Amino acid sequence: MIRLIGILAGLFFSVAALWGLGNGLATVIADGQLKEPTVEHEFHLPARPANLQSDGPFGTWDLAQLQRGFQVYKEVCAACHSLKFVAFRDMAALGYSEAEVKALAAGFQVPGIDPATGEATLRPGLPTDYFPSPYPNAVAAGAANNNAIPPDLSLITKARHHGTDYVYSLLTGYRNVDTFSIGGKNVRDEFPEFATPPNTHFNPYFANLNIAMAPPLTAEGQVTYAEGQPRATVDQMSKDVAAFLTWTAEPKKVKRTQVGWPVMGFLLFATILAYLAKGQVWAAIKPKKKHA
């Protein structure tokens, strides 16, 4: 009797689960068919690949590109965006000498304490300091940017889906909403009511298509690269700063993959060795035959 009750209860819950799954699928399908397409659904673009040297399981850092990317950050992005999780001494990993790191740190003003009065003050940075924020607090940051607080860029490529490609695409993705079209469909023709609010800019790589940040990279040569480096086009500068922000978010990325391959090889060898050892240990023991 107890077994019968258990079977019936199991059938009841199985039918209920299947009914819930079917009802959910029907609702999703119906919603997808009945809902009108939105401008975000029709005109939001997936990120374009940056194709960096550090991509893939065998990627390596391009130190020259990382230095160019840091130059773009310092001369363009640092005016609004902080890099609070990166210390000046970390820059030595990009090929800067100890003297260059000290000079770099000294070029920034960081919060300090006046030893004579004990009051808060600003002082030249030291290699052990972290990159300071361009604003004293979030309220000041919002006030200076039409209430849109610029995000910290230390981990931005880890905080966004396909972060490296997203940063690269976003910086090169500003368009004129009046002329933008995809597959022959124009934004204005398909969604006449769509508008770019004041103090925002149309960018199809941004989630809701309207971003508060004005185009930071607007012209070739906006940043002057050293002799022998690629031309400082908007595309090149965007790719370089995306590479640099990939490094700030995951400075051990290349080292981890380089260590990972020998570890994977060792684990594979150990697995094969364990399998062969198991066969050797149990070879003399014959399984008992089952009687009919």
Side-chain angles (χ1 to χ4, degrees), residues 110-230:
V110 301
I113 301 295
D114 188 330
T117 63
E119 296 179 351
T121 184
L122 293 176
R123 59 170 176 79
L126 298 173
T128 52
D129 291 318
Y130 287 75
F131 281 85
S133 171
Y135 306 104
N137 50 59
V139 176
N145 294 277
N146 298 304
N147 294 320
I149 301 175
D152 178 80
L153 297 183
S154 305
L155 305 174
I156 195 68
T157 59
K158 298 295 289 183
R160 300 292 186 269
H161 186 58
H162 296 306
T164 301
D165 298 337
Y166 169 80
V167 170
Y168 166 64
S169 301
L170 191 73
L171 293 175
T172 57
Y174 289 87
R175 300 289 187 271
N176 186 332
V177 65
D178 295 320
T179 59
F180 183 73
S181 61
I182 298 177
K185 294 182 178 180
N186 183 272
V187 175
R188 290 302 184 205
D189 294 338
E190 300 294 324
F191 300 91
E193 73 286 357
F194 177 75
T196 301
N199 301 316
T200 63
H201 307 268
F202 180 74
N203 192 319
Y205 294 101
F206 194 63
N208 67 1
L209 308 183
N210 293 317
I211 185 172
M213 181 177 68
L217 300 171
T218 57
E220 181 176 337
Q222 185 173 342
V223 175
T224 303
Y225 286 165
E227 186 177 352
Q229 297 297 320

Side-chain angles (χ1 to χ4, degrees), residues 219-225 229-237 240:
E220 181 176 337
Q222 185 173 342
V223 175
T224 303
Y225 286 165
Q229 297 297 320
R231 289 173 52 198
T233 62
V234 171
D235 186 85
Q236 185 65 55
M237 291 186 290
D240 292 343

Side-chain angles (χ1 to χ4, degrees), residues 8-9 46 56 67 88 102 113 135 154 159 180 209 212 228 244 257 271:
L8 292 175
Q67 291 186 9
F88 294 116
K102 289 182 178 179
I113 301 295
Y135 306 104
S154 305
F180 183 73
L209 308 183
F244 172 68
T257 55
T271 301

